[in-house]
Amino acid sequence: MDDQRRRVPRTDAVLADPAVDEAIERLGRNLVRATVTAALDRVRRGELAPEAAIGAVIDALPATAARSRPVINATGVIVHTNLGRAPLSSATRDAVLAASGYTDVEFDLGTGRRAPRGASTLAAVAAAVPAAQGVHITNNNAAALVLAATALAGRGDIVISRGELVEIGDGFRLPDLLESTGARLREVGTTNRTRLSDYADVIGPGTGFILKVHPSNFTQTGFVGTTSIRELATLGPPVVHDIGSGLLRPNAAFPNEPDATTSLDDGADLVTASADKLLGGPQAGLLLGRADLVDRLRRHPLARALRVDKLTLAALEATLVGGPSPVEVALSTPVATLRKRATLIVKALADKGIRADLVDSTARVGGGGAPEVSLPSTAVAVSAHLVAALRSGRPAVVGRVHEGRLLLDLRAVPGTDDAALISAVAAAVTE
Ligand SMILES: *Cc1c(COP(=O)(O)O)cnc(C)c1O
């Protein structure tokens, strides 16, 4: 033991090893030094042979200096809130990387003067939704709603149907969010039916605006009735429409999802939406609509606290201009393509002696909306014993257990990840 302690390598010597030195370039000296210190402590405790120290350091070093790990989303849920919602395309990732240094986010390189923040991103959103006279971008849709409530309702009333008081996830409820601004909710109608007259009865001088919220994560059927944007627009106060999923134009695949263009054409004064659901972009909130209202929001002091950073602006612009987003690709891939990929994956695994089967599956949009839509899909079924090993691999793989087997649904897995998926399963089996 004493002998081993005397043979503990010096920290400087380990840091000078070429492989460790390369990691310092990539990850920064502090992180690598901490990893080296931890490995040498293990040598001192006799848990690691001195000769194995460098190998242990290399194994323990993360791929990047942030702890979040890449995941192959084989759940069959395309917009998976726990897995970061929309993945970004490689063109969008490039744009984010390019914007991550000094950049002209608020500077006109032509004149050398200060310029409106994120002008090219705002222009891209405006071009995508010509019906919007004004465009503003916030940290997320919740922020867009808080800004609208604060700037347009103040201590006044927000009139909303009882059928639209929704919980958006993780225990957060839209009514609580709106009331946290100091505005008062004026609930009208019932859970299943709200008429135009219900709104008309409560509208008065204290009304800030009428809010229509798309129930994006559940559906109601049976004896139900809601009031359309067209009807609400006849009442007088501004109509704010939270469309949720971020469709900018009608999409035939999602007949029940509202879209910004139709909503504005129908008379909504403001539309709010998330950018990281069906739109397939980074986390952000879109505020689209009447120029005077958008201007009021943009100039409100709270707007500064809800603004997005340069990385988000770059990602949103690239998503709109560059397309198609990985979400769009996942939604539109023919099931025959998924079957072909699954066949090749099953064969590659069989060649490695691993039993896997192709099975039909059903995928979902997920937190992004359209709860009523199910998407035909294909999965590779493997042993459920692999669940934990796949989750702890690099990249991690998350599937879903069904009838005692682990289904790796390919709908949300980009084709370029098939080789990584095969390696991940093989590595999990070896473990
Ligand atoms: C998702 C959603 C929200 C919350 O949006 P975030 O961008 O996550 O803040 C609000 N309203 C509706 C209708 C939604 O679907």
Side-chain angles (χ1 to χ4, degrees):
M1 188 62 191
D2 276 352
D3 178 45
Q4 166 135 337
R5 277 209 199 108
R6 247 178 281 119
R7 286 166 51 223
V8 175
R10 289 185 35 226
T11 304
D12 287 350
V14 179
L15 286 171
D17 179 272
V20 178
D21 190 49
E22 179 277 330
I24 292 173
E25 259 316 277
R26 197 160 45 82
L27 300 169
R29 179 170 285 273
N30 289 340
L31 198 162
V32 177
R33 180 182 279 275
T35 311
V36 170
T37 305
L40 295 184
D41 281 347
R42 288 178 59 206
V43 176
R44 262 178 225 111
R45 289 197 301 266
E47 295 166 15
L48 190 68
E51 312 72 55
I54 288 175
V57 168
I58 301 295
D59 282 348
L61 284 170
T64 72
R67 243 178 241 229
S68 73
R69 297 211 337 245
V71 172
I72 293 182
N73 174 10
T75 62
V77 178
I78 296 174
V79 180
H80 197 304
T81 299
N82 303 151
L83 298 179
R85 285 202 184 152
L88 301 179
S89 68
S90 61
T92 301
R93 293 173 200 214
D94 287 349
V96 170
L97 193 60
S100 59
Y102 291 121
T103 178
D104 60 347
V105 65
E106 230 174 276
F107 188 77
D108 185 331
L109 289 168
T111 62
R113 290 170 198 273
R114 178 183 185 150
R117 184 178 173 83
S120 58
T121 306
L122 293 170
V125 179
V129 189
Q133 301 164 342
V135 175
H136 183 65
I137 302 164
T138 55
N139 183 47
N140 56 16
N141 190 9
L145 287 166
V146 162
L147 186 56
T150 307
L152 304 184
R155 308 260 148 207
D157 288 349
I158 299 173
V159 182
I160 184 169
S161 161
R162 292 199 169 88
E164 298 174 5
L165 300 170
V166 305
E167 176 165 321
I168 50 183
D170 193 22
F172 286 100
R173 295 172 165 174
L174 278 191
D176 299 342
L177 179 81
L178 295 165
E179 283 180 328
S180 74
T181 67
R184 280 200 323 181
L185 285 194
R186 197 62 207 264
E187 300 172 15
V188 297
T190 60
T191 306
N192 55 328
R193 287 176 86 89
T194 307
R195 301 186 179 80
L196 185 62
S197 58
D198 295 322
Y199 290 90
D201 285 348
V202 304
I203 281 167
T207 303
F209 61 88
I210 299 167
L211 178 62
K212 188 168 177 62
V213 175
H214 175 56
S216 54
N217 48 14
F218 68 99
T219 52
Q220 280 190 328
T221 55
F223 188 55
V224 295
T226 60
T227 308
S228 69
I229 293 288
R230 267 176 206 270
E231 292 174 287
L232 295 175
T234 63
L235 292 173
V239 175
V240 178
H241 190 189
D242 172 9
I243 63 167
S245 67
L247 284 186
L248 301 182
R249 286 171 296 274
N251 182 326
F254 304 108
N256 298 328
E257 283 298 306
D259 69 277
T261 299
T262 304
S263 178
L264 292 169
D265 286 346
D266 284 350
D269 298 279
L270 265 187
V271 166
T272 79
S274 301
D276 57 352
K277 295 181 175 176
L278 285 178
L279 185 60
Q283 179 190 302
L286 304 182
L287 273 158
L288 312 160
R290 253 170 59 191
D292 60 326
L293 295 184
V294 172
D295 234 42
R296 256 170 81 189
L297 301 188
R298 196 169 53 80
R299 292 176 189 284
H300 191 280
L302 186 60
R304 176 58 189 249
L306 306 176
R307 81 175 189 183
V308 289
D309 75 328
K310 60 185 178 175
L311 305 182
T312 300
L313 289 167
L316 182 56
E317 183 177 352
T319 299
L320 292 170
V321 174
S325 72
V327 168
E328 266 178 276
V329 173
L331 288 169
S332 62
T333 305
V335 72
T337 307
L338 301 180
R339 288 187 75 92
K340 264 187 219 142
R341 286 171 48 197
T343 307
L344 293 174
I345 292 170
V346 167
K347 184 170 179 314
L349 290 173
D351 289 347
K352 295 175 189 286
I354 299 166
R355 161 134 193 247
D357 301 291
L358 181 157
V359 297
D360 289 332
S361 171
T362 304
R364 304 234 156 242
V365 174
E372 77 287 0
V373 172
S374 56
L375 304 153
S377 189
T378 306
V380 174
V382 295
S383 163
H385 296 304
L386 300 179
V387 171
L390 280 169
R391 238 181 12 233
S392 60
R394 295 185 191 201
V397 176
V398 182
R400 67 174 195 275
V401 175
H402 179 71
E403 292 177 355
R405 301 196 79 189
L406 174 61
L407 301 192
L408 303 173
D409 189 305
L410 296 184
R411 170 111 0 234
V413 179
T416 47
D417 276 354
D418 285 354
L421 186 62
I422 294 164
S423 310
V425 173
V429 169
T430 315
E431 226 176 77

